[in-house]
Amino acid sequence: MSSVEQSPALEILVREPDCFSIWAGPPFPNSKPTSKLEKIPCTSTKFSEDGSKLLVTKPNGVVSIYNCKSLTEIRSFEVPNLLASALSPCGTYLQTFQKSTSPQEKNVVVWNVESGVPVYQLLQKNMSKTTWPSIQFSSDESTACRMVTNEIHFFDTKDFSKGIIYKLRVPGVAAIGISKTPGSYLAAFVPEAKGMPASVQIYSCNKDLQTQPLARRSFFRCSSVQFHWNKDSFGVLFIAQSDVDKTNQSYYGETKLNYLTVDGSHEGLVSLKKEGPVHDVQWSISGSEFAVVYGFMPAKATVFDKKCKVLVELGEGPYNTIRWNPKGRFLCLAGFGNLPGNMAFWDCSEKRLLGSTKAECSVTSEWSPDGRYFMTATTAPRLQIDNCVKIFHHDGFLYFTKMFDRLYQAEWKPEAPEKFGEINDLVKSVGALKIEEPRKQAQGSKAAQPSSSKTAYVSAPPAKPAAYRPPHAKNAAVVQQELFGGLAASGSGEMSKNALRNKKRREKQREKKAAEASGAGENDN
């Protein structure tokens, strides 16, 4: 798209304790956001992956679906004993999980959002991260499947009334991950059992090609995995997590980053240059490169291509989070959670640091769909105080801050990055210096300086916190004032009457002690 004016408007969902609202996104007139949808009562909210629908859970088990273009309610479902709900990526289907009242009751229902009728029902005894949503969809909704004991069941996404159309047997399967777009492949994880190693296998979603896995990776010391498919479904990165670190270097277990391609051209570990856990990994929007932050603190950050060759070394720092810009050029390295909130904004194509700043106590963070802004939020129940939303420019310059008594959610409405213009015009005004020593730049030892008279919007480094003073020391100046009559505090001036009286008393005591000591010496002689 050549014209930025034709791009859709940015929108932000903000959820407070009992309601949510939709803000018109930046730039804000008069530095204040305007509401496109006033406060609506709710208990939870979630956009569909493509941003076309909004799921709103209301009190008393009511689930409402909103059209994100018109911001109007298009369908409402009353679901007794509701425990969870989820929209399919394109907003076509709604899944609800109810508390079962009998062992035979089918408590998971798949609803058609447009018609409002249930199209499929099944029984699920419990819910976990690996089993919910019960039926998983690819991003384009071309594939839908469900993991059960030793099998994976596939459905026709156009007609759920057909039920299970075919089954893939994978003994011991514990987790699955469908490729994004196209949804042509599926990764299945089988944990260790009876001395056999754990494994991740890639299968085709085409029934005729499922006789053998297309690729396979086996390994020991693994209890769970996290799948990360790239955009073109060429390969999958997965973090293998072990609950116990046999080297005793980490209390939180051991993690390894593996890479597996659908054609079998790459199968093995990603070579990382520092020991320690894998904190985060994320593919760029192009799917041709990925970034990893790893190792014991200070963590190291590296950008690889899809053949696992190093493209850019981003140095070391207190980081555990990676966020790729939707345009694929910029990247934010951050340290959230139990880290102080440092953020570094990089132009990976030109290998330069654009700016650095801090967002302390942030719980969530994400780029805007157009790639121009980066938003962080401090939310409850993780943190009950200092809840806020902060929006930064793509170079780390703080643009907007708003505090809340209690904030539960803040997120951008999803949009396809292709709908927005490029941001090369923004980069031209940033006089960031091309890096020569990535390690020092990443650690912020020498901030990038403007190379021309143009102003670089780089936030000033945060002020160093003052040294801790115990409560009794805070009144030390007052105590000194009373004891020494202001002499100790000011360092000059005449003594007060009380201080002068105390001084004379001490001198008399010293003279008396000296006289007694000399008298005792004469008696001894």
Side-chain angles (χ1 to χ4, degrees):
M1 181 177 296
S2 59
S3 176
V4 176
E5 287 74 20
Q6 299 176 1
S7 304
L10 298 176
E11 295 179 3
I12 300 174
L13 182 147
V14 176
R15 180 166 65 90
E16 297 178 70
D18 300 318
C19 59
F20 80 95
S21 57
I22 302 291
W23 292 353
F28 299 133
N30 302 321
S31 301
K32 294 183 179 179
T34 57
S35 293
K36 299 184 69 174
L37 182 64
E38 291 300 333
K39 296 182 177 181
I40 305 294
C42 72
T43 57
S44 66
T45 56
K46 183 64 179 177
F47 284 110
S48 62
E49 189 176 315
D50 66 349
S52 63
K53 304 289 194 308
L54 173 64
L55 183 153
V56 179
T57 305
K58 299 181 178 180
N60 302 321
V62 176
V63 179
S64 297
I65 308 299
Y66 283 73
N67 184 307
C68 290
K69 286 187 177 180
S70 61
L71 294 178
T72 57
E73 183 177 322
I74 58 176
R75 188 70 59 188
S76 180
F77 302 86
E78 292 187 9
V79 185
N81 302 317
L82 179 69
L83 296 179
S85 57
L87 276 175
S88 61
C90 299
T92 308
Y93 298 103
L94 166 71
Q95 291 184 66
T96 58
F97 183 93
Q98 301 168 252
K99 183 178 180 181
S100 181
T101 57
S102 65
Q104 292 78 27
E105 180 186 6
K106 294 183 177 180
N107 59 336
V108 175
V109 183
V110 180
W111 308 80
N112 185 295
V113 171
E114 184 176 355
S115 64
V117 300
V119 295
Y120 191 75
Q121 300 182 48
L122 57 93
L123 171 64
Q124 183 169 320
K125 294 182 179 180
N126 48 46
M127 180 178 60
S128 66
K129 288 184 179 180
T130 58
T131 60
W132 181 256
S134 301
I135 297 177
Q136 297 188 27
F137 292 83
S138 59
S139 295
D140 56 3
E141 291 191 2
S142 62
T143 302
C145 64
R146 180 193 178 210
M147 180 187 69
V148 298
T149 304
N150 298 326
E151 289 182 340
I152 301 169
H153 296 171
F154 289 83
F155 302 87
D156 185 346
T157 57
K158 303 297 183 183
D159 187 3
F160 271 89
S161 63
K162 295 180 181 178
I164 302 169
I165 56 176
Y166 57 90
K167 302 177 182 179
L168 172 64
R169 183 164 180 80
V170 184
V173 61
I176 59 174
I178 306 177
S179 60
K180 294 185 176 181
T181 302
S184 307
Y185 304 99
L186 179 142
F189 167 65
V190 178
E192 298 177 55
K194 300 179 180 179
M196 298 295 292
S199 66
V200 168
Q201 307 163 46
I202 295 179
Y203 290 90
S204 170
C205 291
N206 187 333
K207 179 182 178 181
D208 298 330
L209 301 176
Q210 290 184 347
T211 55
Q212 294 291 333
L214 302 176
R216 179 187 178 98
R217 165 79 175 152
S218 298
F219 40 85
F220 286 98
R221 299 206 309 271
C222 178
S223 55
S224 62
V225 296
Q226 301 174 30
F227 292 116
H228 300 270
W229 281 96
N230 68 343
K231 183 181 179 181
D232 58 5
S233 301
F234 173 79
V236 60
L237 290 164
F238 60 94
I239 300 175
Q241 172 78 43
S242 174
D243 294 333
V244 178
D245 182 5
K246 291 190 175 181
T247 63
N248 292 324
Q249 291 181 299
S250 174
Y251 176 80
Y252 300 99
E254 182 182 11
T255 55
K256 297 292 184 182
L257 182 61
N258 297 261
Y259 182 45
L260 197 57
T261 57
V262 297
D263 60 1
S265 60
H266 194 286
E267 173 196 328
L269 291 170
V270 178
S271 179
L272 303 178
K273 298 181 179 179
K274 187 173 185 178
E275 291 186 355
V278 178
H279 303 287
D280 196 11
V281 59
Q282 191 176 34
W283 286 97
S284 70
I285 189 65
S286 66
S288 60
E289 55 194 1
F290 63 91
V292 190
V293 56
Y294 58 94
F296 297 112
M297 293 294 163
K300 188 176 181 65
T302 307
V303 179
F304 298 86
D305 65 12
K306 62 181 181 181
K307 294 184 179 179
C308 292
K309 295 181 180 179
V310 176
L311 294 178
V312 185
E313 290 283 4
L314 302 180
E316 297 183 350
Y319 305 123
N320 60 3
T321 303
I322 294 173
R323 294 291 183 265
W324 271 104
N325 187 287
K327 291 297 181 180
R329 178 172 180 175
F330 303 127
L331 180 147
C332 177
L333 282 177
F336 298 139
N338 59 350
L339 295 179
N342 295 68
M343 298 192 299
F345 294 84
W346 293 83
D347 183 337
C348 291
S349 62
E350 297 191 10
K351 302 181 181 179
R352 61 179 182 176
L353 180 66
L354 298 177
S356 60
T357 184
K358 262 192 174 184
E360 296 91 343
C361 303
S362 296
V363 177
T364 63
S365 60
E366 194 52 76
W367 288 95
S368 61
D370 66 351
R372 286 172 165 79
Y373 303 96
F374 188 80
M375 180 171 67
T376 65
T378 302
T379 58
R382 175 73 178 271
L383 290 171
Q384 303 289 342
I385 60 173
D386 295 334
N387 286 184
C388 66
V389 169
K390 293 182 180 180
I391 299 178
F392 301 83
H393 287 290
H394 75 287
D395 55 5
F397 183 76
L398 181 62
Y399 170 71
F400 171 81
T401 301
K402 182 174 176 60
M403 304 299 296
F404 293 83
D405 292 333
R406 191 64 57 85
L407 177 68
Y408 282 92
Q409 183 181 1
E411 63 176 271
W412 303 97
K413 188 191 82 169
E415 292 283 1
E418 297 80 12
K419 295 181 180 179
F420 298 91
E422 296 300 324
I423 53 179
N424 293 332
D425 55 324
L426 292 182
V427 185
K428 293 178 182 178
S429 63
V430 180
L433 184 66
K434 189 170 182 179
I435 57 173
E436 295 181 358
E437 298 183 13
R439 179 185 296 256
K440 293 183 180 180
Q441 293 279 5
Q443 291 179 341
S445 58
K446 292 184 179 180
Q449 299 293 332
S451 58
S452 66
S453 60
K454 297 180 181 179
T455 301
Y457 295 102
V458 180
S459 298
K464 186 176 180 180
Y468 172 74
R469 297 182 66 191
H472 68 272
K474 294 180 180 179
N475 297 324
V478 178
V479 175
Q480 289 180 354
Q481 183 79 8
E482 294 178 353
L483 289 178
F484 303 108
L487 184 64
S490 61
S492 62
E494 296 182 357
M495 299 178 68
S496 65
K497 292 182 179 180
N498 290 334
L500 188 59
R501 189 181 302 114
N502 292 333
K503 181 180 179 182
K504 291 181 178 179
R505 185 184 299 115
R506 288 193 295 269
E507 290 177 351
K508 289 181 179 180
Q509 289 177 351
R510 284 197 295 269
E511 291 175 358
K512 183 178 180 180
K513 289 181 179 179
E516 291 177 352
S518 60
E522 292 176 358
N523 294 333
D524 292 340
N525 295 331

